[in-house]
Amino acid sequence: MYNYNQIEMVHLEVTQRCQASCPMCDRNENGGADNRHITNAELTLADCKQIFKPEFIRQLKTMYMCGNLGDPVIARDTLEIFRYFRKHNPDMWLSMNTNAGAKNEEWWRQLAEVFGRMGTVIFSVDGLRDTNHLYRQGVVWDNVERNMKSFIAAGGRARWDFIIFGHNEHQIDQAEALATEWGFEKFQRKKSGRFFTASNKGKDKHQAQNRKGQETQLLQKPQKLDNQNLALLKQAEIEKTYGSMTDYYNSCSIKCKAVDKKEIFITAEGLLMPCCWTAGRMYKWWHKDPRVEQIWDHIDAAGGKSGISVIENTIEEVVDGPLLDSIEMSWEKDNIKSGKLGVCAMKCGTEFDPFGAQFV
């Protein structure tokens, strides 16, 4: 894929913890019980100092915190970790995706100071006071509004990402006007690609639950065509051409986004993967045994979790080890059954890209 000296971007999942229970997030079961396969792992500042040496940080262009399972604003050492990266690379780009519902005003002011003009916070806020919590379950609006305003008032550069659902699409213009009033640099209408099932079928709705397992909001696709993910609308065309989505994944060419960006993904367990999508297949909550997923074949071939740990090994040792080559070589297999890594076809196939279409 790439060698150690070519890496320019780090995607860091600093924690698996989150105060929210978003129904389409893998850290919980439709917003209910926590994913039984995760441990609420979290990287400390000491871990990050061990993993990311100053000379490595100096070669980077970008470090951003997002991840699959947790929100960086919940982690204990997030601010100090950003400060550590900034100390060793004053010119790199820093960013963070967050639901904005935690920490106090002083914390957000300090984050703005660390980021300066070379960084941004992407606030994932899907509605207004009366709707944001319908998807961002457990997130308190007063905290969100206070923290967004505090960060921007301290000079922070901010983007508002607004996932469009049926229950909030009537508020898009109002939210965008509010973003302008509060000083956001950009308002992103995000057309979710998550109305697409693990069995490769589109869907129109998703039933949310609360922590007690009781049904809450019925999440529905937006009604207006302009607010829907265009890639999902292309599904019928793909199926007509190839016969089925599975047949498309079996035969499609792969253009790896991680290779294009020269990016690595570090999980909250300190594991190195090429991207959040490959790592995201490790702990699907609906599996009794998560190791039924293909990605474990590549992890096991690289020595198991110990073999791809950047706490037990250096980043260079893992990058130069067998994992990345094993994943890349799978793309030449005839089909998924014979070993082509399915998640790579789903996320980086050249003709069907629900992720990229979210931002169009």
Side-chain angles (χ1 to χ4, degrees), residues 41 74 127 149 234 245 308 352:
I74 296 299
K149 287 179 174 179
K234 192 180 178 183
M245 290 304 298
I308 62 171
F352 185 71

Side-chain angles (χ1 to χ4, degrees), residues 99-101 125 132 139-149:
N99 64 49
V125 179
N132 183 57
V139 176
V140 177
W141 178 263
D142 286 341
N143 296 342
V144 172
E145 181 174 339
R146 179 198 68 209
N147 295 337
M148 291 194 297
K149 287 179 174 179

Side-chain angles (χ1 to χ4, degrees), residues 194-212:
R194 294 194 178 189
F195 285 97
F196 191 70
T197 68
S199 57
N200 304 326
K201 296 178 180 178
K203 60 181 180 179
D204 294 323
K205 56 191 177 181
H206 185 99
Q207 181 61 60
Q209 299 178 356
N210 62 21
R211 292 296 193 182
K212 297 179 180 179

Side-chain angles (χ1 to χ4, degrees), residues 320-338:
D320 291 344
L323 177 71
L324 301 185
D325 287 342
S326 173
I327 291 172
E328 185 174 23
M329 287 188 294
S330 83
W331 303 338
E332 302 303 319
K333 301 286 187 180
D334 290 337
N335 51 53
I336 292 171
K337 185 173 287 188
S338 65

Side-chain angles (χ1 to χ4, degrees), residues 71-329:
D71 192 307
V73 80
I74 296 299
R76 185 189 70 182
D77 290 346
T78 291
L79 180 61
E80 289 71 23
I81 293 167
F82 275 126
R83 190 173 278 129
Y84 171 69
F85 273 80
R86 176 61 80 220
K87 174 183 176 182
H88 294 292
N89 191 334
D91 300 320
M92 73 183 302
W93 186 261
L94 300 174
S95 74
M96 178 178 80
N97 294 62
T98 179
N99 64 49
K103 296 292 193 285
N104 59 32
E105 293 171 87
E106 178 58 25
W107 189 94
W108 285 97
R109 282 194 288 267
Q110 289 188 43
L111 184 68
E113 181 181 337
V114 172
F115 278 16
R117 302 307 294 166
M118 290 298 294
T120 192
V121 170
I122 300 166
F123 290 98
S124 300
V125 179
D126 312 315
L128 299 174
R129 180 181 294 275
D130 60 332
T131 53
N132 183 57
H133 64 282
L134 298 179
Y135 180 69
R136 303 279 168 183
Q137 296 185 139
V139 176
V140 177
W141 178 263
D142 286 341
N143 296 342
V144 172
E145 181 174 339
R146 179 198 68 209
N147 295 337
M148 291 194 297
K149 287 179 174 179
S150 296
F151 179 74
I152 294 169
R157 304 178 70 173
R159 185 179 102 193
W160 183 332
D161 273 13
F162 184 110
I163 299 178
I164 306 171
F165 294 100
H167 65 260
N168 67 12
E169 66 180 323
H170 66 288
Q171 295 178 320
I172 298 172
D173 291 340
Q174 186 181 352
E176 186 166 14
L178 202 59
T180 300
E181 177 186 334
W182 289 353
F184 280 83
E185 292 190 350
K186 183 175 182 180
F187 180 86
Q188 178 66 59
R189 301 174 182 225
K190 194 171 178 182
K191 303 170 184 179
S192 179
R194 294 194 178 189
F195 285 97
F196 191 70
T197 68
S199 57
N200 304 326
K201 296 178 180 178
K203 60 181 180 179
D204 294 323
K205 56 191 177 181
H206 185 99
Q207 181 61 60
Q209 299 178 356
N210 62 21
R211 292 296 193 182
K212 297 179 180 179
Q214 300 164 329
E215 291 187 353
T216 54
Q217 180 70 20
L218 181 63
L219 303 170
Q220 295 179 298
K221 284 200 307 187
Q223 295 299 307
K224 293 182 179 178
L225 199 61
D226 287 348
N227 294 330
Q228 295 180 17
N229 188 297
L230 294 179
L232 300 185
L233 299 176
K234 192 180 178 183
Q235 182 184 348
E237 179 184 331
I238 294 285
E239 291 176 335
K240 182 178 180 180
T241 301
Y242 289 92
S244 69
M245 290 304 298
T246 299
D247 290 332
Y248 161 71
Y249 294 138
N250 282 333
S251 59
C252 70
S253 298
I254 292 171
K255 184 172 173 52
C256 177
K257 294 179 175 69
V259 170
D260 285 349
K261 294 179 180 178
K262 299 181 175 63
E263 176 180 9
I264 57 172
F265 179 73
I266 306 297
T267 76
E269 295 180 286
L271 307 178
L272 187 151
M273 299 291 282
C275 65
C276 62
W277 295 306
T278 47
R281 304 306 299 187
M282 292 177 64
Y283 301 123
K284 292 300 186 185
W285 63 262
W286 54 84
H287 293 313
K288 183 177 181 181
D289 178 5
R291 292 175 55 85
V292 300
E293 288 280 344
Q294 270 186 306
I295 192 61
W296 285 101
D297 295 336
H298 298 275
I299 294 171
D300 289 343
K305 288 167 69 171
S306 291
I308 62 171
S309 169
V310 288
I311 295 175
E312 298 180 40
N313 313 277
T314 66
I315 291 176
E316 187 169 11
E317 287 170 338
V318 179
V319 168
D320 291 344
L323 177 71
L324 301 185
D325 287 342
S326 173
I327 291 172
E328 185 174 23
M329 287 188 294

